Amino acid sequence: MKLSDILSVLEEMAPLGYAEDFDNVGLLVGNPNQEIDGVLVCHDALESVIDEAISKKCNLVVCFHPILFSGIKKITGKNYVERAILKAIKNDIAIYAVHTALDNHQKGVNKIFCDALGLKHSKVLIPKENYIQKLVTYTIPENFEKLRNALFDAGAGTIGNYEDCSFNSKGIGTYLGNENSNPQIGERFEFVENEEIKIEMTFEKHLQGKILKALFKNHVYEEVAYEIYQLENKHQNIGLGRVGEFENPLSETEFLQLVKEKLQCEGIRHSAFTGKSIKKVAVLGGSGSFAIKNAISSGADAYLTADLKYHQFYEAENQLLLADIGHFESERFTKNYIVDFLKEKITNFAPNSLQCGIILSEENTNPVKYF
């Protein structure tokens, strides 16, 4: 398969528009036109993982963390990042990272986190802001159904658990075409008053190009009148972290033991016990100290994340149990999800040299060790 075909599937799994502004996601190394012989999915695209890709004849590495994160001015092999990039380029291996694009997805990192613990009815902890836009356009009744359906097919009109959402109202549109016009209704220099239907629907920001393409392709007018607004509504299904509940409450020690077993933690740092039962739990995979207040506001009895500093444990304020379970541990099942998704979506990819063209890396890239 061409890399560009696989990129479309990866974009479906974790739209790059979902990523945080600080992040560096997508294709980091490689040419979209290159032919892919095998895909290796990993957590971190380290040099050892590139070696594994070479040995297993995989020339695409899909990683969770971007190996290229900050700006880089030289590639001389002086550190682990440059060595991995050099080896990938030398061996024509492409690298693609998903990171916060999958963090923010409703089925991504934190949903996987909740599922691993057995949490039910989970919802987003910090809904994404400035991500919902609204399209307003106008057309004649004869074009209305075709145009609206095309916009639905392009991804517009989804609100929470509902699809094909729109508001439609009738009115009178007017226009007068000049000597260069070619009006669908009426003649040049003729003032036209015509019944029109106003269509309004929301969409996710990253779909704007696709929405506009559908609009122009399916509209009958020579000049398409439309407006796009940025809404202040938060996106309830996209964002960082999640909050879910156990069916039955656990004691704090039972809870930590469960977390340790389910996420295979070698050690858990936590704040002082509150003495309360644990039923409602907030989670945020990776570095999540910034969301402690959000977890408290959600009414969670416990908050699981990673990379907490000494003084941040005080922020629990005896309102919840704050636990640092380890960065890698909080995201450990993400690569399994990526492999399963790719195998489900790409069913015709099985190079002759491999039994399956999509492989889970066997390298443990967790840099934190416990004594």
Side-chain angles (χ1 to χ4, degrees):
M1 294 183 67
K2 275 194 174 183
L3 176 55
S4 57
D5 297 324
I6 300 175
L7 295 182
S8 298
V9 178
L10 289 166
E11 177 83 10
E12 179 185 349
M13 178 188 72
L16 299 182
Y18 285 7
E20 296 297 305
D21 293 338
F22 65 80
D23 206 3
N24 188 33
V25 294
L27 186 62
L28 306 182
V29 176
N31 184 332
N33 292 318
Q34 73 183 94
E35 293 289 336
I36 298 302
D37 300 316
V39 182
L40 183 69
V41 179
C42 67
H43 203 83
D44 304 277
L46 304 181
E47 186 179 11
S48 61
V49 173
I50 303 302
D51 286 331
E52 182 184 9
I54 295 169
S55 68
K56 294 179 178 177
K57 297 181 173 59
C58 295
N59 59 343
L60 170 61
V61 171
V62 176
C63 52
F64 179 65
H65 289 139
I67 187 68
L68 278 174
F69 189 76
S70 303
I72 186 169
K73 294 183 178 180
K74 298 178 182 178
I75 306 180
T76 61
K78 70 175 182 290
N79 59 42
Y80 77 96
V81 173
E82 294 180 11
R83 288 192 294 273
I85 298 302
L86 275 174
K87 183 162 285 189
I89 293 173
K90 183 178 180 180
N91 291 277
D92 292 323
I93 294 174
I95 301 176
Y96 186 100
V98 294
H99 205 207
T100 57
L102 194 55
D103 274 315
N104 280 313
H105 197 285
Q106 62 180 330
K107 295 182 180 179
V109 176
N110 296 294
K111 179 64 164 61
I112 299 166
F113 197 161
C114 287
D115 290 346
L117 294 173
L119 295 170
K120 307 294 184 183
H121 314 299
S122 66
K123 61 181 181 180
V124 175
L125 177 63
I126 308 175
K128 197 167 183 63
E129 298 180 352
N130 303 317
Y131 207 74
I132 302 176
Q133 296 184 330
K134 182 178 181 180
L135 170 71
V136 178
T137 191
Y138 312 81
T139 190
I140 56 176
E142 294 82 359
N143 178 231
F144 162 67
E145 188 171 341
K146 176 186 176 183
L147 177 60
R148 187 177 63 171
N149 288 340
L151 293 171
F152 287 154
D153 290 342
T158 297
I159 302 176
N161 296 322
Y162 296 85
E163 298 178 355
D164 296 354
C165 304
S166 69
F167 185 81
N168 314 280
S169 52
K170 293 182 179 180
I172 301 297
T174 67
Y175 57 83
L176 189 153
N178 62 23
E179 67 274 10
N180 297 315
S181 66
N182 184 27
Q184 175 74 17
I185 298 173
E187 304 293 336
R188 295 171 185 166
F189 307 112
E190 178 187 359
F191 179 74
V192 175
E193 288 184 293
N194 193 58
E195 181 181 346
E196 291 185 339
I197 298 178
K198 179 181 180 181
I199 305 172
E200 303 176 67
M201 56 180 68
T202 60
F203 61 92
E204 294 177 0
K205 184 169 65 175
H206 75 278
L207 294 173
Q208 185 181 118
K210 189 176 180 181
I211 299 295
L212 291 180
K213 183 178 180 180
L215 173 64
F216 297 140
K217 182 179 179 180
N218 292 278
H219 207 295
V220 294
Y221 281 174
E222 180 182 29
E223 297 288 349
V224 179
Y226 71 97
E227 304 148 28
I228 290 179
Y229 301 98
Q230 178 70 56
L231 302 184
E232 294 186 5
N233 306 53
K234 295 180 180 179
H235 199 308
Q236 298 301 316
N237 286 339
I238 298 173
L240 293 169
R242 291 189 81 82
V243 183
E245 295 186 353
F246 290 116
E247 288 188 7
N248 300 303
L250 302 172
S251 70
E252 290 171 303
T253 54
E254 289 173 332
F255 169 67
L256 291 178
Q257 186 61 41
L258 174 72
V259 173
K260 190 172 183 179
E261 292 174 359
K262 295 293 186 180
L263 298 172
Q264 302 167 36
C265 305
E266 294 191 49
I268 297 177
R269 299 187 303 141
H270 63 85
S271 61
F273 284 156
T274 64
K276 305 172 186 175
S277 296
I278 306 295
K279 183 173 176 63
K280 190 173 186 179
V281 180
V283 306
L284 198 154
S287 303
S289 61
F290 63 90
I292 294 174
K293 288 184 174 58
N294 300 89
I296 293 173
S297 297
S298 73
D301 304 309
Y303 176 43
L304 300 177
T305 188
D307 302 339
L308 298 177
K309 296 180 180 180
Y310 176 87
H311 291 93
Q312 290 168 337
F313 284 96
Y314 289 127
E315 296 180 28
E317 295 281 5
N318 203 43
Q319 297 183 66
L320 49 59
L321 178 64
L322 182 58
D324 184 335
I325 69 169
H327 194 122
F328 179 88
E329 288 79 4
S330 68
E331 302 166 338
R332 72 159 56 247
F333 298 120
T334 302
K335 59 184 181 294
N336 303 74
Y337 173 83
I338 297 171
V339 166
D340 292 343
F341 186 94
L342 292 178
K343 285 183 177 180
E344 180 182 345
K345 295 293 181 177
I346 305 176
T347 57
N348 60 339
F349 181 43
N352 294 330
S353 57
L354 299 168
Q355 290 185 341
C356 178
I358 301 164
I359 300 173
L360 182 65
S361 172
E362 297 179 48
E363 287 288 308
N364 181 354
T365 59
N366 187 359
V368 180
K369 309 301 177 185
Y370 299 86
F371 181 72

